Amino acid sequence: MTLFHSVSFHRLRNAEIFNLSHGIKNITANYSGEGQPLTPVITRHNEAHNKLDEAMKKAQGSTYTALIGEADDKLDDAFLGFRYFLKACTYRPEENIKLAANRLMLLYKTYGYTLQNEGYSEQKAGMENLIGDMETKPQAVDDRTTLEADVWFNHLKSAHQNFKQLMQARREETLE
């Protein structure tokens, strides 16, 4: 019976087994017991570790997955930052600024006030619509100008564009 078939190791997750195996490989790397009884065990372990390492790499999936997660976090931050900016503007004393902020907040509420919590597909579609309306509707453009919110809007737009590009790259990778 090998180490990986014993009951206690069977209950470990793949990542835990890999981390344990990696630690054993690091410890035994300096073992210089040529001809000693542990040499065949260490050799078999290292071969099994290398196979496990290759299997874990294949299981990770797309190389874009981690990048998409980071891009999603940045998009969420941009979305929330702009939303909080608009919410803060609704408390300004100037009536024209309050009205402009409320109209833009209405767009946020139309496409999802908590859009950052949605799945990738829903979030992408909602952002497309929100950004499209803020870019093309004359009233929304005027409101952005009134609030001097183009820095926030451009940051949101840029984060969304980066997110879309990574999603498209992953889609193309899986089609190959």
Side-chain angles (χ1 to χ4, degrees):
M1 182 181 282
T2 67
L3 177 72
F4 295 108
H5 289 97
S6 70
V7 174
S8 60
F9 287 100
H10 181 267
R11 295 177 190 268
L12 295 175
R13 292 187 205 130
N14 288 342
E16 292 169 330
I17 292 173
F18 178 76
N19 289 338
L20 176 65
S21 178
H22 188 69
I24 292 170
K25 186 175 179 182
N26 287 341
I27 290 170
T28 59
N30 297 327
Y31 180 73
S32 61
E34 285 277 329
Q36 296 296 319
L38 285 180
T39 303
V41 173
I42 292 171
T43 303
R44 281 198 339 255
H45 170 267
N46 289 345
E47 289 171 1
H49 174 76
N50 291 337
K51 286 181 183 177
L52 183 60
D53 185 29
E54 285 303 311
M56 293 291 284
K57 286 179 185 173
K58 289 177 185 172
Q60 285 178 344
S62 173
T63 56
Y64 291 103
T65 301
L67 296 173
I68 288 172
E70 291 171 13
D72 180 48
D73 291 343
K74 289 179 182 176
L75 179 58
D76 292 348
D77 290 346
F79 178 79
L80 289 172
F82 194 14
R83 188 181 85 189
Y84 293 143
F85 169 77
L86 294 175
K87 184 69 174 168
C89 288
T90 64
Y91 294 102
R92 294 274 302 266
E94 302 90 348
E95 200 58 39
N96 64 332
I97 291 180
K98 281 184 186 179
L99 289 172
N102 280 321
R103 282 190 295 264
L104 290 178
M105 283 297 290
L106 185 60
L107 282 178
Y108 255 75
K109 290 176 182 176
T110 300
Y111 295 114
Y113 192 71
T114 57
L115 200 54
Q116 77 280 1
N117 296 332
E118 299 296 329
Y120 288 163
S121 298
E122 295 86 2
Q123 187 175 2
K124 182 177 171 259
M127 290 288 181
E128 287 283 327
N129 293 328
L130 175 66
I131 290 170
D133 280 1
M134 285 193 174
E135 220 169 20
T136 59
K137 287 189 173 181
Q139 185 64 57
V141 173
D142 291 343
D143 291 341
R144 279 190 3 242
T145 303
T146 301
L147 298 175
E148 298 176 358
D150 282 341
V151 171
W152 289 102
F153 177 71
N154 290 334
H155 181 61
L156 176 65
K157 191 174 162 185
S158 171
H160 178 63
Q161 188 62 33
N162 183 42
F163 177 74
K164 276 186 3 184
Q165 288 172 345
L166 289 169
M167 289 289 285
Q168 183 62 33
R170 183 171 70 175
R171 189 174 299 112
E172 289 171 2
E173 179 185 64
T174 57
L175 292 176
E176 292 176 353

